[in-house]
């Protein structure tokens, strides 16, 4: 009788716990899939931001060996798309140049005086959609994702500031004021490139 009662109690407990266990397994599976999807999205974002940093430096004529070696190494390690393979090949050619040739390359790539750099916003829709469920990830992963979102918001702010300065260049300003606006726009673009490079490093750390 005792054994039969124990079996009944065990069956009852399993009946109660089955939905909980099922939900736990499903939650872990969805969490892993969500993690993989977020990492995939951020990987693509990292590639895009690395190229954005390159574009800003090229427009401002500030390409140097240290930066080119960094982006070449990053692209070789993390870019897998066919389109970026061509970029990686070009970067290898740039790095192989002499210092004098790099100076010429940087000067040739810089923007004309009457043309301004236009910064772009970049987003991570999947990451944004999972903000409310970040608690399901381990603490260190949560912290890094939130830090990435913070730096993306700072990038967006730089985009807004650069567009404001760009619009001001079309208003009637005297010589000194126009020069200051142009310098502010250039400095904002520099900060954008620097922060984009920093953000790529944080993405890669995941």
């Amino acid at each position: 009788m005792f054994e039969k009662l124990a079996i009944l109690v065990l069956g009852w407990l399993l009946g109660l716990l089955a939905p909980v266990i099922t939900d736990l397994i499903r939650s872990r599976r969805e969490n892993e899939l969500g993690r993989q999807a977020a990492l995939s999205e951020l990987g693509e974002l990292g590639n895009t931001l690395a190229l954005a940093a390159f574009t800003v430096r090229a427009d401002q004529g500030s390409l140097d060996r240290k930066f080119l070696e960094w982006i070449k190494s990053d692209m070789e390690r993390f870019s897998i798309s066919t389109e970026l393979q061509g970029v990686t090949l070009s970067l290898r050619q740039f790095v192989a140049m002499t210092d004098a040739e790099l100076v010429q390359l940087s000067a040739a790539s810089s923007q004309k005086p009457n043309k301004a750099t236009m910064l772009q916003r970049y987003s991570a829709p999947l990451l944004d959609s999972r903000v409310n469920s970040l608690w399901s990830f381990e603490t260190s992963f949560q912290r890094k994702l939130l830090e990435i979102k913070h730096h993306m918001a700072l990038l967006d702010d730089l985009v807004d500031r650069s567009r404001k300065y760009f619009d001001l260049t079309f208003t009637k300003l005297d010589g000194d004021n126009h020069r200051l606006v142009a310098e502010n726009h250039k400095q904002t673009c520099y900060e954008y490139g620097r922060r984009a490079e920093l953000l790529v490093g944080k993405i890669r750390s995941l």
Side-chain angles (χ1 to χ4, degrees):
M1 179 63 70
F2 178 77
E3 292 180 355
K4 291 181 179 180
L5 182 60
I7 292 174
L8 287 175
V9 172
L10 180 60
W12 175 70
L13 288 175
L14 289 176
L16 290 177
L17 292 176
V20 176
I21 295 173
T22 301
D23 289 344
L24 180 60
I25 294 173
R26 183 187 300 113
S27 177
R28 287 183 176 179
R29 182 173 181 274
E30 291 177 351
N31 186 49
E32 182 58 30
L33 291 175
R35 180 190 181 98
Q36 293 175 6
L39 288 175
S40 177
E41 178 181 69
L42 289 174
E44 291 297 326
L45 178 63
N47 293 337
T48 300
L49 289 174
L51 291 177
F54 175 85
T55 299
V56 169
R57 279 181 169 266
D59 288 349
Q60 296 192 331
S62 59
L63 292 174
D64 56 36
R65 187 174 301 281
K66 180 180 179 181
F67 174 80
L68 289 172
E69 288 178 346
W70 168 79
I71 190 173
K72 179 185 79 72
S73 176
D74 183 84
M75 287 292 169
E76 288 175 340
R77 290 182 60 194
F78 297 102
S79 64
I80 57 176
S81 66
T82 304
E83 295 81 1
L84 292 182
Q85 289 176 4
V87 174
T88 302
L89 178 60
S90 296
L91 291 171
R92 289 172 182 166
Q93 295 173 343
F94 295 159
V95 170
M97 290 180 175
T98 64
D99 291 342
E101 290 172 334
L102 283 180
V103 170
Q104 294 178 348
L105 171 68
S106 185
S109 66
S110 62
Q111 293 256 348
K112 295 179 180 179
N114 61 345
K115 186 176 181 181
T117 303
M118 295 299 293
L119 305 182
Q120 298 294 323
R121 286 174 175 266
Y122 300 103
S123 62
L126 182 59
L127 176 59
D128 292 338
S129 69
R130 291 186 61 88
V131 168
N132 293 331
S133 60
L134 289 183
W135 59 267
S136 63
F137 296 125
E138 63 270 25
T139 303
S140 61
F141 195 67
Q142 291 180 45
R143 185 176 64 253
K144 289 181 179 180
L145 290 178
L146 290 174
E147 190 175 8
I148 286 171
K149 282 188 60 63
H150 171 68
H151 283 282
M152 289 180 66
L154 293 177
L155 271 185
D156 288 344
D157 179 66
L158 288 170
V159 172
D160 293 338
R161 286 163 54 188
S162 72
R163 291 176 180 177
K164 178 181 178 181
Y165 291 134
F166 178 76
D167 290 340
L168 284 174
T169 61
F170 291 97
T171 61
K172 292 183 178 180
L173 300 171
D174 59 40
D176 287 340
N177 286 332
H178 190 278
R179 176 180 56 79
L180 288 174
V181 167
E183 289 178 354
N184 285 337
H185 180 268
K186 183 176 181 179
Q187 180 63 26
T188 302
C189 291
Y190 168 80
E191 289 295 332
Y192 179 93
R194 185 186 65 83
R195 188 164 296 278
E197 186 177 345
L198 174 67
L199 183 50
V200 171
K202 293 186 177 299
I203 290 174
R204 301 315 191 197
S205 71
L206 288 173

